[in-house]
Amino acid sequence: MIISRTPFRISFFGGGTDFPIWYKDNVSKVINVAINKYCYVNVRKLPPFFKFKYRLRYHLTEESKFISKIKHPTVRETLRYLNYDDNFEMIHNADLPAQSGLGASSSFTVGLLNCVNALNNKYISQKHLANQAIDIEQNKVKDIVGSQDQVAASFGGFNVIDFFGNSIKVKQIPLSFKNIKRLERNILLVFSGFPRSASAVEKQKIKRYSKNISILKEINKISLEAEDKIYNSKNITSDFAELLNKYWYYKKQLASNVSNKSINSLINIGLKNGAVGAKILGAGEGGFVMFLAEEKNISKLAKSFKGKLTLPIKFEGTGSQIIYFSENE
């Protein structure tokens, strides 16, 4: 039996530029961080006593004799991708649900890949793991997803990621760095509700790509400025908040369904109760809103969201890990 633990992430800047349609010809810079909320994947070689060869347990239960009959697209394509043909059982659990804007689907892909590679007695690097996950999601499953979530899930930590062409460069900033530690204390997540379909939001963005080029250029400029602030800001919360609000202004222009009245209302409540910056996490239309506020105002901010799930978080320094390995189960 093998169990992996893979972190979720929050994205500060650069979302939208981490799609191949953009970075195949343009520079992209993304800033994100892994957090202390996790996806757990448990796999083993299923004993040969069952009528089926593959059993999956996530929010559904599947039993199948053939990989081709597996309905879960990520599991099916991962087993094909890694040429796995032995009996197989998988159980998936997570601290937070999918469609929360925290990169849950990519955390699952990375965690599953980590487990199946280990089941095949293969060790792969963090970068190789991220590249495998990107390839499966974008080219095998054909989901409309970017490339930053897979990197955050594989590497963990606070990342400045540069995409260009086929190149991915990951610069990790120590969580002990003073401005990173301050940011960690000054973040509150508030759940806005589930989106109807995150993929629908991304489809509209891709459909509008030619119209969005100028917006994506502005988003990338913000990321460049934010990277400088990490090292040189004397008030990182204030400076990041200013850039976050600017980024949110541009992100809403990428597609009409990125935001809605409920999200706008939630952000306005936060900004009136101690927050200095905010944006939706993930594709948009729902999921968690990230608020930046000075540490002394976090408690007041949380109390202003009556009936809403509020989530303080800590940054996570490690990426996907095998936390249990036994050849006897």
Side-chain angles (χ1 to χ4, degrees), residues 163-222:
F163 298 97
F164 182 71
N166 295 319
S167 171
I168 301 175
K169 295 181 179 179
V170 183
K171 183 189 301 180
Q172 292 200 292
I173 300 173
L175 299 187
S176 59
F177 188 69
K178 62 178 182 178
N179 276 342
I180 304 303
K181 289 174 69 176
R182 185 170 181 180
L183 275 176
E184 182 180 38
R185 297 194 299 267
N186 295 344
I187 292 174
L188 180 72
L189 305 187
V190 180
F191 192 60
S192 69
F194 291 106
R196 287 190 295 275
S197 173
S199 63
V201 181
E202 298 297 3
K203 282 179 181 177
Q204 189 176 135
K205 291 177 187 177
I206 296 299
K207 190 176 180 179
R208 286 176 45 84
Y209 175 72
S210 60
K211 297 178 181 179
N212 285 341
I213 289 175
S214 61
I215 300 171
L216 293 168
K217 287 180 179 178
E218 293 300 323
I219 286 174
N220 203 56
K221 287 179 184 177
I222 293 170

Side-chain angles (χ1 to χ4, degrees), residues 117-137:
N117 274 296
L119 210 54
N120 282 336
N121 294 311
K122 290 183 179 179
Y123 167 80
I124 61 172
S125 68
Q126 293 169 315
K127 191 168 186 179
H128 192 185
L129 186 60
N131 281 325
Q132 283 190 346
I134 290 168
D135 195 14
I136 286 171
E137 290 188 1

Side-chain angles (χ1 to χ4, degrees), residues 182 185-186 235 237-238 274-276 292-298:
R182 185 170 181 180
R185 297 194 299 267
N186 295 344
N235 187 336
T237 304
S238 175
V276 287
L292 283 181
E294 294 295 342
E295 187 176 9
K296 63 183 180 181
N297 294 325
I298 290 289

Side-chain angles (χ1 to χ4, degrees), residues 7 20 28 38 45 53 55 64 68 77 96 115 118 121 136 139 161 176 201 209 227 241 243 248 269-270 275 291:
S28 163
Y38 307 96
K45 292 183 178 180
K53 190 173 181 180
R55 178 164 64 190
S64 173
S68 61
E77 297 306 323
L96 295 167
C115 283
N121 294 311
I136 286 171
N139 302 319
I161 310 164
S176 59
V201 181
Y209 175 72
E227 182 180 19
L243 292 173
W248 177 230
I269 290 170
F291 289 96

Side-chain angles (χ1 to χ4, degrees), residues 24-43:
K24 66 179 180 180
D25 297 313
N26 302 277
V27 172
S28 163
K29 187 179 293 290
V30 172
I31 299 174
N32 66 24
V33 65
I35 62 173
N36 63 335
K37 304 299 174 186
Y38 307 96
C39 160
Y40 298 89
V41 178
N42 178 331
V43 306

Side-chain angles (χ1 to χ4, degrees), residues 33-317:
V33 65
I35 62 173
N36 63 335
K37 304 299 174 186
Y38 307 96
C39 160
Y40 298 89
V41 178
N42 178 331
V43 306
R44 66 169 181 155
K45 292 183 178 180
L46 191 68
F49 310 123
F50 300 92
K51 294 180 180 179
F52 47 84
K53 190 173 181 180
Y54 306 98
R55 178 164 64 190
L56 316 179
R57 285 183 275 179
Y58 44 107
H59 65 275
L60 300 174
T61 297
E62 288 192 56
E63 295 173 350
S64 173
K65 292 182 179 180
F66 307 100
I67 289 178
S68 61
K69 298 297 183 181
I70 292 174
K71 295 178 182 178
H72 195 299
T74 301
V75 178
R76 183 183 65 244
E77 297 306 323
T78 295
L79 295 178
R80 283 175 170 170
Y81 190 86
L82 296 180
N83 298 313
Y84 187 87
D85 194 35
D86 207 338
N87 291 6
F88 180 79
E89 181 176 42
M90 182 218 72
I91 303 170
H92 168 243
N93 296 288
D95 291 336
L96 295 167
Q99 295 187 318
S100 56
L102 301 176
S105 61
S106 291
S107 292
F108 172 74
T109 305
V110 168
L112 177 65
L113 276 163
N114 212 359
C115 283
V116 180
N117 274 296
L119 210 54
N120 282 336
N121 294 311
K122 290 183 179 179
Y123 167 80
I124 61 172
S125 68
Q126 293 169 315
K127 191 168 186 179
H128 192 185
L129 186 60
N131 281 325
Q132 283 190 346
I134 290 168
D135 195 14
I136 286 171
E137 290 188 1
Q138 294 177 358
N139 302 319
K140 306 303 180 184
V141 177
K142 298 190 183 300
D143 278 340
I144 301 176
V145 295
S147 303
Q148 64 158 311
D149 295 356
Q150 303 89 336
V151 176
S154 299
F155 282 79
F158 195 103
N159 304 296
V160 178
I161 310 164
D162 292 301
F163 298 97
F164 182 71
N166 295 319
S167 171
I168 301 175
K169 295 181 179 179
V170 183
K171 183 189 301 180
Q172 292 200 292
I173 300 173
L175 299 187
S176 59
F177 188 69
K178 62 178 182 178
N179 276 342
I180 304 303
K181 289 174 69 176
R182 185 170 181 180
L183 275 176
E184 182 180 38
R185 297 194 299 267
N186 295 344
I187 292 174
L188 180 72
L189 305 187
V190 180
F191 192 60
S192 69
F194 291 106
R196 287 190 295 275
S197 173
S199 63
V201 181
E202 298 297 3
K203 282 179 181 177
Q204 189 176 135
K205 291 177 187 177
I206 296 299
K207 190 176 180 179
R208 286 176 45 84
Y209 175 72
S210 60
K211 297 178 181 179
N212 285 341
I213 289 175
S214 61
I215 300 171
L216 293 168
K217 287 180 179 178
E218 293 300 323
I219 286 174
N220 203 56
K221 287 179 184 177
I222 293 170
S223 296
L224 291 168
E225 190 173 351
E227 182 180 19
D228 176 72
K229 294 296 184 184
I230 292 169
Y231 299 104
N232 299 312
S233 175
K234 294 181 179 179
N235 187 336
I236 190 65
T237 304
S238 175
D239 286 340
F240 253 45
E242 181 180 348
L243 292 173
L244 204 67
N245 292 334
K246 189 176 179 182
Y247 172 55
W248 177 230
Y249 168 79
Y250 285 114
K251 181 173 180 174
K252 286 187 290 184
Q253 296 182 48
L254 291 173
S256 61
N257 52 356
V258 168
S259 192
N260 53 45
K261 289 182 180 179
S262 176
I263 292 169
N264 292 337
S265 175
L266 205 65
I267 288 177
N268 288 335
I269 290 170
L271 294 177
K272 290 177 181 177
N273 287 277
V276 287
K279 79 172 186 76
I280 198 77
L281 293 170
E285 200 178 34
F288 279 96
V289 174
M290 175 172 63
F291 289 96
L292 283 181
E294 294 295 342
E295 187 176 9
K296 63 183 180 181
N297 294 325
I298 290 289
S299 178
K300 174 190 173 184
L301 179 63
K303 289 178 182 177
S304 70
F305 297 108
K306 293 180 181 178
K308 293 287 185 182
L309 171 65
T310 59
L311 189 70
I313 52 93
K314 296 290 185 182
F315 294 167
E316 170 57 72

